[in-house]
Amino acid sequence: MSTPKTTDAPVHIESSDQLDELIADSAVVLVDYHADWCGPCKMLEPTVKEIAEETDAVVAKVDIDELQELAREQGIRSVPTLQFYAGGEQVKEVIGVQSKADLVDIIDAAA
């Protein structure tokens, strides 16, 4: 399956391999680990969607209930957790609701 280099909508991740491919093939990736039952995740949802639409970063959404093993492998203990990748390497991780400006600053610094 070929993953687009940039997209203006968040990409719903369905497997660890899909996430690995996305990170390897994209310049900057924001991975949003979330859960349907998580209130702060719901608060962050519109911000993450806007970032996908307004920046060149690829935004990947990982439901920790659907992909428990992936979340465990990544050491995700709290949601929302946001990981930032540049050139295939993780450059930053933040936990909890963040301002859009702060998240865009991280993406700009990674680009």
Side-chain angles (χ1 to χ4, degrees):
M1 179 174 95
S2 179
T3 306
K5 298 287 188 276
T6 59
T7 178
D8 53 7
V11 177
H12 178 76
I13 299 300
E14 297 175 7
S15 71
S16 180
D17 289 343
Q18 181 190 13
L19 180 60
D20 290 345
E21 181 181 318
L22 192 69
I23 290 168
D25 291 349
S26 306
V28 178
V29 181
L30 163 58
V31 183
D32 174 16
Y33 292 89
H34 67 96
D36 288 339
W37 47 262
C38 167
C41 298
K42 292 185 188 311
M43 289 172 45
L44 191 60
E45 179 79 25
T47 301
V48 170
K49 190 172 182 191
E50 287 174 15
I51 288 171
E53 293 169 355
E54 297 171 10
T55 71
D56 289 335
V58 174
V59 176
K61 307 250 328 146
V62 176
D63 184 323
I64 64 163
D65 291 327
E66 285 180 19
L67 297 174
Q68 292 179 15
E69 188 173 323
L70 173 60
R72 212 172 11 260
E73 288 170 4
Q74 292 295 320
I76 305 303
R77 298 190 183 281
S78 302
V79 285
T81 294
L82 304 172
Q83 292 178 338
F84 297 83
Y85 292 83
E89 298 293 322
Q90 184 176 333
V91 294
K92 183 99 173 157
E93 179 176 290
V94 294
I95 297 171
V97 176
Q98 309 289 320
S99 75
K100 180 179 171 185
D102 287 347
L103 297 175
V104 170
D105 285 348
I106 295 168
I107 290 168
D108 289 345

